[in-house]
Amino acid sequence: MTPGPRELLKNAGLRVTAPRVAVLDWLAEHPHATADAVAEGVRTRLGSVSTQAVYDVLHACARTGLLRRIEPAGHPARYETRTGDNHHHLVCRVCGRTEDVDCVHGAAPCLEPSDTVGFSVDEAEVLFWGRCPDCQGPGLPGALTAEPHAKELTT
Protein backbone atom coordinates (compact mmCIF):
# COMPACT_ATOMS: atom_id res chain seq x y z
CA MET A 1 0.00 0.00 0.00
CA THR A 2 1.31 3.44 -0.98
CA PRO A 3 1.73 5.79 1.99
CA GLY A 4 -0.55 8.82 2.11
CA PRO A 5 0.61 12.44 2.25
CA ARG A 6 0.56 12.60 6.06
CA GLU A 7 2.86 9.59 6.37
CA LEU A 8 5.12 10.85 3.57
CA LEU A 9 5.49 14.22 5.29
CA LYS A 10 6.26 12.59 8.66
CA ASN A 11 8.81 10.23 7.08
CA ALA A 12 10.50 13.20 5.38
CA GLY A 13 10.77 15.01 8.72
CA LEU A 14 8.26 17.70 7.74
CA ARG A 15 5.38 18.92 9.86
CA VAL A 16 1.97 17.77 8.70
CA THR A 17 0.00 20.90 7.76
CA ALA A 18 -3.18 21.35 5.76
CA PRO A 19 -1.38 23.19 2.90
CA ARG A 20 1.29 20.48 2.64
CA VAL A 21 -1.28 17.69 2.57
CA ALA A 22 -3.41 19.59 0.03
CA VAL A 23 -0.40 20.22 -2.27
CA LEU A 24 0.64 16.56 -2.25
CA ASP A 25 -2.94 15.37 -2.75
CA TRP A 26 -3.58 17.81 -5.60
CA LEU A 27 -0.30 17.03 -7.38
CA ALA A 28 -0.95 13.29 -7.14
CA GLU A 29 -4.07 13.92 -9.23
CA HIS A 30 -2.55 16.65 -11.48
CA PRO A 31 1.07 15.77 -12.30
CA HIS A 32 3.34 18.26 -14.07
CA ALA A 33 1.43 21.27 -12.73
CA THR A 34 2.95 24.73 -12.37
CA ALA A 35 3.14 26.43 -8.98
CA ASP A 36 0.31 28.77 -9.98
CA ALA A 37 -1.90 25.85 -11.01
CA VAL A 38 -1.12 24.08 -7.72
CA ALA A 39 -2.03 27.25 -5.80
CA GLU A 40 -5.38 27.48 -7.61
CA GLY A 41 -6.10 23.81 -6.97
CA VAL A 42 -5.17 24.01 -3.30
CA ARG A 43 -7.39 27.08 -2.86
CA THR A 44 -10.37 25.11 -4.17
CA ARG A 45 -9.75 22.58 -1.40
CA LEU A 46 -8.74 24.79 1.50
CA GLY A 47 -10.07 28.24 0.72
CA SER A 48 -7.60 31.01 1.39
CA VAL A 49 -3.95 29.95 0.98
CA SER A 50 -1.29 32.42 -0.11
CA THR A 51 0.71 31.80 -3.25
CA GLN A 52 3.88 32.21 -1.16
CA ALA A 53 2.72 29.43 1.20
CA VAL A 54 2.27 27.11 -1.80
CA TYR A 55 5.73 28.03 -3.13
CA ASP A 56 7.19 27.30 0.32
CA VAL A 57 5.47 23.89 0.41
CA LEU A 58 6.68 23.05 -3.10
CA HIS A 59 10.24 24.02 -2.19
CA ALA A 60 10.25 22.04 1.08
CA CYS A 61 8.75 18.96 -0.56
CA ALA A 62 11.15 19.11 -3.54
CA ARG A 63 14.13 19.60 -1.18
CA THR A 64 13.18 16.48 0.80
CA GLY A 65 12.48 14.37 -2.30
CA LEU A 66 8.69 14.19 -1.94
CA LEU A 67 8.29 16.13 -5.19
CA ARG A 68 10.30 16.40 -8.35
CA ARG A 69 10.71 19.79 -10.02
CA ILE A 70 11.21 19.80 -13.76
CA GLU A 71 12.15 22.92 -15.69
CA PRO A 72 11.51 22.68 -19.44
CA ALA A 73 13.30 25.55 -21.23
CA GLY A 74 10.93 28.38 -22.05
CA HIS A 75 8.18 27.00 -19.79
CA PRO A 76 7.44 27.49 -16.09
CA ALA A 77 8.74 24.91 -13.63
CA ARG A 78 6.44 21.96 -13.06
CA TYR A 79 6.07 19.60 -10.13
CA GLU A 80 5.17 15.94 -9.81
CA THR A 81 4.91 13.33 -7.08
CA ARG A 82 6.55 10.60 -9.18
CA THR A 83 10.01 10.47 -7.64
CA GLY A 84 12.69 7.88 -7.04
CA ASP A 85 12.48 6.21 -10.42
CA ASN A 86 14.33 6.80 -13.65
CA HIS A 87 11.79 8.42 -15.96
CA HIS A 88 11.86 11.25 -18.45
CA HIS A 89 9.36 13.67 -19.99
CA LEU A 90 7.70 14.59 -23.27
CA VAL A 91 6.97 18.32 -23.59
CA CYS A 92 4.71 19.95 -26.19
CA ARG A 93 6.43 22.95 -27.79
CA VAL A 94 3.09 24.67 -28.35
CA CYS A 95 0.97 24.26 -25.21
CA GLY A 96 3.51 22.94 -22.69
CA ARG A 97 1.66 19.68 -21.99
CA THR A 98 4.08 17.37 -20.18
CA GLU A 99 3.86 13.59 -19.95
CA ASP A 100 5.98 10.92 -18.27
CA VAL A 101 8.07 8.56 -20.38
CA ASP A 102 9.70 5.53 -18.80
CA CYS A 103 13.44 5.26 -19.34
CA VAL A 104 14.35 3.45 -22.51
CA HIS A 105 17.63 2.00 -21.28
CA GLY A 106 17.08 0.81 -17.71
CA ALA A 107 18.88 1.99 -14.58
CA ALA A 108 20.21 5.51 -13.98
CA PRO A 109 22.04 6.96 -15.67
CA CYS A 110 20.35 5.55 -18.73
CA LEU A 111 22.63 7.52 -21.04
CA GLU A 112 26.38 8.05 -20.83
CA PRO A 113 28.15 11.15 -22.18
CA SER A 114 30.89 10.60 -24.72
CA ASP A 115 33.35 12.17 -22.26
CA THR A 116 32.65 12.51 -18.54
CA VAL A 117 35.51 15.03 -18.06
CA GLY A 118 36.18 13.43 -14.69
CA PHE A 119 32.58 13.61 -13.46
CA SER A 120 30.94 10.67 -11.74
CA VAL A 121 27.64 10.58 -13.65
CA ASP A 122 24.65 9.28 -11.68
CA GLU A 123 21.66 10.61 -13.60
CA ALA A 124 20.58 11.70 -17.08
CA GLU A 125 17.65 14.10 -17.29
CA VAL A 126 16.03 13.79 -20.69
CA LEU A 127 13.30 15.99 -22.15
CA PHE A 128 11.75 14.94 -25.43
CA TRP A 129 10.22 17.86 -27.35
CA GLY A 130 7.47 17.82 -29.96
CA ARG A 131 3.81 18.61 -30.41
CA CYS A 132 1.04 16.85 -28.52
CA PRO A 133 -1.88 15.36 -30.47
CA ASP A 134 -4.05 18.43 -29.76
CA CYS A 135 -1.42 20.79 -31.20
CA GLN A 136 -0.74 18.87 -34.40
CA GLY A 137 -2.39 20.25 -37.49
CA PRO A 138 -3.94 18.33 -40.35
CA GLY A 139 -1.55 16.71 -42.76
CA LEU A 140 1.97 15.93 -41.61
CA PRO A 141 2.48 14.81 -38.01
CA GLY A 142 3.81 17.66 -35.90
CA ALA A 143 2.59 20.42 -38.23
CA LEU A 144 1.45 23.59 -36.48
CA THR A 145 -2.12 24.67 -36.87
CA ALA A 146 -3.01 28.24 -37.78
CA GLU A 147 -4.29 28.69 -34.22
CA PRO A 148 -2.33 26.46 -31.78
CA HIS A 149 -4.26 24.61 -29.13
CA ALA A 150 -4.42 26.82 -26.06
CA LYS A 151 -4.81 24.06 -23.48
CA GLU A 152 -4.72 25.16 -19.86
CA LEU A 153 -1.27 24.33 -18.43
CA THR A 154 -2.53 22.56 -15.32
CA THR A 155 -1.99 19.02 -16.60
Side-chain angles (χ1 to χ4, degrees):
M1 180 177 199
T2 304
R6 292 176 185 284
E7 188 175 339
L8 290 170
L9 289 164
K10 286 178 187 176
N11 291 344
L14 295 174
R15 283 185 311 119
V16 176
T17 65
R20 287 177 176 168
V21 170
V23 164
L24 292 176
D25 274 341
W26 198 84
L27 272 171
E29 297 170 12
H30 303 89
H32 312 119
T34 63
D36 289 339
V38 173
E40 285 180 35
V42 167
R43 282 188 199 105
T44 64
R45 292 179 182 208
L46 297 180
S48 179
V49 177
S50 74
T51 301
Q52 185 59 53
V54 171
Y55 273 93
D56 291 345
V57 169
L58 292 170
H59 176 74
C61 289
R63 181 178 38 83
T64 58
L66 293 178
L67 296 177
R68 181 176 178 187
R69 176 185 165 119
I70 59 171
E71 300 179 57
H75 295 272
R78 296 173 178 280
Y79 297 86
E80 65 180 345
T81 57
R82 184 175 172 185
T83 62
D85 70 345
N86 191 33
H87 76 278
H88 306 301
H89 296 95
L90 284 163
V91 180
C92 179
R93 291 184 185 282
V94 179
C95 70
R97 175 178 163 186
T98 305
E99 297 290 341
D100 290 333
V101 177
D102 289 329
C103 184
V104 179
H105 295 290
C110 61
L111 301 172
E112 296 283 340
S114 59
D115 184 354
T116 64
V117 197
F119 281 68
S120 172
V121 178
D122 59 16
E123 181 180 13
E125 186 170 310
V126 178
L127 289 177
F128 295 97
W129 292 88
R131 291 183 180 88
C132 72
D134 291 336
C135 291
Q136 294 176 29
L140 297 175
L144 279 175
T145 59
E147 293 184 25
H149 165 67
K151 184 177 181 183
E152 187 177 338
L153 297 178
T154 59
T155 58

